[in-house]
Amino acid sequence: MEKALAALPVRKEKGYWSRLGARIVKHRAMYVLALPGVLFFILFKLTPLWGLLLAFKDYNPYSGFAGSEWVGFKHFADLFADRNFYIMLRNTFAINVFGLVFMFPLPILLALMLNEVRHGAFKRFNQSIVYLPHFLSWVVVASMTFFVLSTDVGIVNKLIGEAGHEPISFLSESKYFWGLITAQTMWKEAGWGTIIFLAAMAGVDPQRYEAAVVDGASRFRQIWHITLPAIRPTILILLILRLGQMADVGFEQMLLMMNPLVMQVAEVFDTYSYTQGILRGQISTGVTVGMFKGVVGFVLVMASNYIVKKSGQEGIY
């Protein structure tokens, strides 16, 4: 018997690469679907990371990437010593705080209202209307803002003039600029931001609402005790990711809306990087600004995720 068992062929365990190949062949359709996203990530996210080395070099186009002189942290020291650095830091964080306070809760409130609409066709119509501004370019939004708020052709100032008051310079007075940028972002992106929250609400078990109705809970009570707790993980994850963008402000929006009269409150890191890196040819300075923003975002994401997990909630990892 032992000799017969010894004569049987021994089945060798497949190696890692064999198992991986078999898995890819088996699920080839899914891998083909994922391929464009993977290629995009490699080409536009991973490959450009080599360019971060320019922040530590005095880049010269004639010498090339490899031939440019290493200068260490010189560009960072120059950035922090720039008299406009703290102005840009203030403007960037002020605009983002405005967005965090007023813009972040708006898609949640809008999603809650859309979720309460029971007529299917009317609900889809409203969703289409609130999604529409997202697909408009910032050039169109800036042009619309000009025709609504400018002192000469603006509809609002024409109404103010008809009421017997002096026109208000909404576009050229510093005190209105941060609020104007926040209002633009709210109008353009609030509807688009409801998609994720509506998807999270769709996953709530309907039996929980039925039980709440039996217990006599009003619609407001159902939202407060069922809907909001169910989408809390989604809210926290998006909040963490939003905090990671605190050093970012929409470049196109700022470039189109800024003018010499509001430069003191409109200059941010994105426009400074464009001015220094593209217009003045100081590529290393532009890369330095981008790397500084990335580090700030990374620290904020890690800190906020740590706080969320310490509070007993689920973070992003």
Side-chain angles (χ1 to χ4, degrees):
M1 186 68 178
E2 294 180 358
K3 292 181 179 181
L5 291 175
L8 293 175
V10 178
R11 185 177 179 181
K12 295 183 179 179
E13 186 70 23
K14 290 184 177 180
Y16 171 78
W17 295 109
S18 299
R19 295 196 304 272
L20 179 61
R23 192 182 305 121
I24 292 175
V25 172
K26 181 180 179 180
H27 303 287
R28 55 186 176 276
M30 300 300 295
Y31 282 97
V32 170
L33 288 174
L35 184 60
V38 173
L39 291 177
F40 175 85
F41 188 82
I42 293 173
L43 291 176
F44 298 102
K45 299 297 182 180
L46 293 180
T47 304
L49 289 178
W50 289 102
L52 294 178
L53 292 175
L54 292 178
F56 307 98
K57 287 191 169 192
D58 189 8
Y59 180 70
N60 187 330
Y62 298 102
S63 302
F65 183 86
S68 299
E69 179 185 358
W70 286 95
V71 294
F73 291 93
K74 175 181 179 298
H75 296 301
F76 290 93
D78 293 341
L79 174 64
F80 299 147
D82 193 319
R83 60 186 180 87
N84 292 322
F85 173 76
Y86 293 102
I87 295 176
M88 294 186 293
L89 188 67
R90 179 202 64 187
N91 296 342
T92 300
F93 276 90
I95 292 172
N96 276 295
V97 168
F98 269 65
L100 194 63
V101 173
F102 297 104
M103 170 60 190
F104 185 79
L106 187 58
I108 303 174
L109 297 175
L110 190 56
L112 289 172
M113 289 188 290
L114 288 172
N115 192 56
E116 292 301 308
V117 178
R118 292 293 173 255
H119 193 281
F122 183 67
K123 181 177 181 179
R124 290 191 295 271
F125 173 77
N126 280 279
Q127 285 179 292
S128 300
I129 294 299
V130 298
Y131 294 164
L132 184 61
H134 170 78
F135 298 100
L136 299 177
S137 70
W138 279 113
V139 176
V140 175
V141 175
S143 301
M144 292 172 61
T145 305
F146 175 80
F147 284 114
V148 171
L149 297 178
S150 65
T151 54
D152 47 359
V153 299
I155 298 174
V156 172
N157 274 312
K158 285 186 179 297
L159 294 175
I160 292 175
E162 291 292 332
H165 301 285
E166 291 294 323
I168 301 175
S169 302
F170 292 105
L171 304 179
S172 57
E173 290 192 23
S174 300
K175 61 183 179 181
Y176 299 119
F177 188 79
W178 292 345
L180 179 60
I181 294 296
T182 305
Q184 280 185 329
T185 306
M186 291 169 65
W187 179 80
K188 187 175 185 295
E189 302 295 344
W192 187 253
T194 62
I195 293 177
I196 297 178
F197 297 111
L198 285 173
M201 293 175 191
V204 181
D205 188 355
Q207 293 183 357
R208 300 179 63 183
Y209 293 107
E210 295 171 2
V213 171
V214 172
D215 291 339
S218 63
R219 295 302 306 176
F220 178 78
R221 288 293 182 182
Q222 293 176 42
I223 292 172
W224 186 259
H225 294 289
I226 299 176
T227 308
L228 285 177
I231 66 172
R232 183 186 299 137
T234 303
I235 295 174
L236 290 175
I237 289 174
L238 292 178
L239 178 61
I240 293 171
L241 296 177
R242 179 64 183 84
L243 288 172
Q245 300 173 355
M246 288 296 287
D248 279 317
V249 181
F251 167 71
E252 292 180 45
Q253 181 187 15
M254 299 302 298
L255 189 65
L256 291 166
M257 294 304 301
M258 68 193 309
N259 60 71
L261 296 176
V262 296
M263 191 63 70
Q264 194 69 10
V265 295
E267 184 75 272
V268 293
F269 290 116
D270 298 89
T271 56
Y272 180 80
S273 178
Y274 168 75
T275 303
Q276 298 296 321
I278 303 300
L279 299 183
R280 298 184 181 178
Q282 299 177 6
I283 305 297
S284 294
T285 302
V287 175
T288 301
V289 175
M291 191 171 184
F292 169 75
K293 289 168 46 184
V295 171
V296 171
F298 175 76
V299 171
L300 289 175
V301 166
M302 297 299 291
S304 57
N305 185 71
Y306 175 80
I307 294 172
V308 166
K309 295 190 73 173
K310 278 294 183 181
S311 63
Q313 303 297 324
E314 185 177 352
I316 58 176
Y317 65 89

